[in-house]
Amino acid sequence: MQRLADYEGHISAVCRMPKEELDLLYSPSAWSKRLPRDEVIREHVRKMTEATINAKSKLLTTLGVKCGSSGNHRIDVYDCESTPSDAPIFVYVHGGYWQDISVDSSGFMAVPLVNAGARVVAVEYDLAPKVSMQEIVVQVKESIVAIVRMAVQTKSRGVYLSGHSAGAHLVARALDADLRQDLSSAISRDAADVIKGSILFSGIYDLRPLTFTSENVALRMTLSSAWNLSPTNQTNLEQLAAHWHHLRFVVAVAEHDSPEFRLQSEKYHQLISGLGFTSKYVDCQVVDHFDIVENLQEHEYSLTKEILDALGLNRNETAKSLH
């Protein structure tokens, strides 16, 4: 793909586009084939919220565990009576362009994963424009430290970090030298090794074009700060390779994501593969930016199976549905 080969040239050209065109390219709802733009977002939130309520009614939960000084910065934990103490932990960081959605609609995938033997943790963070992008990244890192501490206490078989859209960005950006040092200082020297992998859904990994879109009114990034916050930044990639070389990745993108989201997912996969990481690129057919994760509440969905494979859980031993 020519755009992939000349990625920097492509990004430069995109950043010079008229604002209306750039807003369209970075508006995931504009590319859905299922529903009109406003309706697909409303339906996305409705489905995730209802599935989260369902999970809370069917599973054991520990809700609102504080991870920092902020009122909204917390985690929700889902498991059940039969969940092994050493269960792998699936962590989900929600999207919403760093400005919307909450932990109250982030437990939607918990039922099939907990039934299969996982423990699920959903992460809440403060939103822009209340806080800066850098502060959001710090909050996600603090959440990861709290979750790894839990994993060490339960002797978990591993922590697997996932995120959707903006959440995928936050997970990818959190994996730097500072996080490894935070884990070492707060828990133990080898605590970072408890994190085994990362599963990223329809993420955005180069934030520079966003500085020229309407989204930046709330995000308040400069071109320099956006590049510093980008997982594709060479410095950030070098830190990833130096401190997180043991991780395995799944990078998933929707057939009906915007062309720019698709390109960025492919580019991130290419970059981390070039650094020696094991990375599986999954191009999910038929789905769009929203139902790529909405469908995770289904036991037989292809990405649910990818998650279970990544967590080392045998799908054939999945417990009967709690529906």
Side-chain angles (χ1 to χ4, degrees):
M1 179 189 292
Q2 181 60 36
R3 292 187 307 165
L4 206 59
D6 184 23
Y7 178 76
E8 284 301 319
H10 172 76
I11 289 294
S12 178
V14 165
C15 290
R16 295 194 301 271
M17 283 182 172
K19 186 175 181 180
E20 294 77 12
E21 293 181 28
L22 196 55
D23 279 348
L24 180 66
L25 277 177
Y26 282 90
S27 177
S29 60
W31 301 87
S32 173
K33 306 297 183 184
R34 296 181 295 133
L35 296 166
R37 294 177 66 169
D38 290 344
E39 189 174 346
V40 76
I41 295 173
R42 285 195 301 270
E43 185 71 1
H44 179 58
V45 175
R46 183 190 67 79
K47 284 184 175 181
M48 294 193 305
T49 302
E50 289 183 357
T52 299
I53 293 170
N54 178 62
K56 289 176 180 177
S57 73
K58 293 182 173 3
L59 302 172
L60 298 178
T61 58
T62 305
L63 306 177
V65 179
K66 297 294 287 291
C67 296
S69 58
S70 164
N72 289 328
H73 184 200
R74 63 192 192 275
I75 58 174
D76 287 351
V77 182
Y78 298 79
D79 53 22
C80 66
E81 291 181 356
S82 62
T83 302
S85 176
D86 68 347
I89 298 174
F90 177 81
V91 180
Y92 181 77
V93 181
H94 68 77
Y97 252 140
W98 306 275
Q99 304 164 60
D100 201 358
I101 308 186
S102 78
V103 75
D104 295 328
S105 57
S106 296
F108 58 92
M109 81 304 290
V111 169
L113 299 189
V114 169
N115 284 348
R119 181 169 284 113
V120 171
V121 179
V123 173
E124 179 73 301
Y125 52 89
D126 285 320
L127 302 174
K130 177 183 176 182
V131 297
S132 70
M133 291 284 284
Q134 184 59 49
E135 288 175 285
I136 296 174
V137 173
V138 169
Q139 288 188 8
V140 170
K141 290 180 183 180
E142 291 173 348
S143 298
I144 293 171
V145 172
I147 293 163
V148 170
R149 183 181 289 110
M150 177 202 311
V152 170
Q153 292 169 348
T154 62
K155 296 182 170 57
S156 170
R157 283 167 268 163
V159 172
Y160 299 81
L161 303 174
S162 82
H164 171 234
S165 194
H169 158 264
L170 291 169
V171 167
R173 182 60 186 85
L175 294 167
D176 62 8
D178 289 342
L179 177 60
R180 189 167 192 103
Q181 181 58 49
D182 290 345
L183 289 165
S184 178
S185 300
I187 305 171
S188 67
R189 182 177 179 182
D190 58 353
D193 296 338
V194 173
I195 302 175
K196 304 298 185 183
S198 184
I199 306 163
L200 306 173
F201 308 104
S202 293
I204 181 166
Y205 308 102
D206 187 334
L207 305 189
R208 290 175 292 178
L210 290 181
T211 63
F212 299 95
T213 70
S214 299
E215 300 295 342
N216 203 42
V217 173
L219 302 179
R220 297 173 293 160
M221 295 186 293
T222 65
L223 192 59
S224 176
S225 68
W227 186 224
N228 177 263
L229 288 162
S230 297
T232 52
N233 179 312
Q234 184 61 34
T235 299
N236 296 332
L237 288 168
E238 289 172 358
Q239 290 192 31
L240 180 69
H243 298 282
W244 299 96
H245 51 82
H246 65 285
L247 297 186
R248 301 171 69 89
F249 287 83
V250 175
V251 180
V253 69
E255 177 184 7
H256 301 305
D257 258 314
S258 83
E260 288 304 298
F261 274 75
R262 288 181 56 80
L263 175 66
Q264 289 209 16
S265 290
E266 188 174 357
K267 182 63 177 179
Y268 188 66
H269 163 72
Q270 180 193 68
L271 288 169
I272 60 177
S273 297
L275 292 171
F277 286 96
T278 298
S279 178
K280 182 175 183 179
Y281 182 74
V282 182
D283 191 344
C284 300
Q285 299 303 295
V286 182
V287 296
D288 57 37
H289 187 82
F290 304 97
D291 56 352
I292 189 175
V293 289
E294 289 169 16
N295 293 345
L296 291 174
Q297 61 188 286
E298 303 298 334
H299 291 73
E300 295 304 315
Y301 178 46
S302 61
L303 282 183
T304 306
K305 296 175 181 179
E306 288 285 351
I307 292 169
L308 296 179
D309 284 344
L311 271 59
L313 296 172
N314 187 338
R315 297 195 304 272
N316 295 326
E317 296 179 0
T318 300
K320 292 182 179 180
S321 171
L322 295 175
H323 291 301

